[in-house]
Structure formats: C-alpha cells, structure tokens
Amino acid sequence: MQPDEIKSLIEGQIPDSTVEVAFEGSHLMVTVVSSAFEGLSRLKKQQLVYAALGEKIADGTLHAVQMQTLTPEEASR
C-alpha cells in the first residue's frame, strides 16, 4: 500500500485533516492534524484514525501502526 493511499483513506474519513505518512520497514507512522480532534481524548482520536484504516488492518495489509493525532492548536506549538 502506498503512502498516498493511506493519506486518502484518512483524509476521506476525518474532516479537515492533514495527514503525513511514513514507512519504516513494515511499520507505518502517521501524523494526523484535524480540528475534528478538538475536545477528544487521545484514545478517541486514535479510534477515528483506526476506523479509517480498519479494513486495511483487518485484511492484514497494514499492521504496526504508530500515530500522532493533533488538533491544529497542538500542531502549532
């Protein structure tokens, strides 16, 4: 799976998101910045990202996902 495909999956599910994707071996690292994360716990933010990637995780295409989830305010610090 290509980084652009992952970026599109997440941006398609999380409103107003900006996504950066990197692979390190078989490990996927994503940084997602979105105003949709305002007021959510870290767990809830991660659940939104996992929901966007759920099908690819379930079928084994993706595994070992590391993520950073930030609001625009958090990202600007």
Side-chain angles (χ1 to χ4, degrees):
M1 179 158 232
Q2 297 297 313
D4 287 346
E5 293 174 88
I6 295 164
K7 181 176 171 150
S8 292
L9 282 173
I10 296 170
E11 288 178 344
Q13 291 289 318
I14 301 175
D16 303 318
S17 61
T18 304
V19 180
E20 293 178 21
V21 178
F23 281 100
E24 195 168 286
S26 63
H27 290 70
L28 170 66
M29 292 173 284
V30 294
T31 301
V32 184
V33 179
S34 175
S35 57
F37 295 149
E38 296 285 345
L40 298 180
S41 68
R42 181 193 294 182
L43 178 62
K44 291 290 186 189
K45 293 175 186 179
Q46 290 177 348
Q47 287 173 336
L48 286 175
V49 177
Y50 279 124
L53 300 175
E55 184 178 309
K56 298 300 178 186
I57 292 170
D59 72 11
T61 302
L62 295 174
H63 55 90
V65 178
Q66 179 181 342
M67 69 181 77
Q68 184 174 26
T69 53
L70 304 167
T71 64
E73 182 182 325
E74 291 167 335
S76 68
R77 292 183 198 154

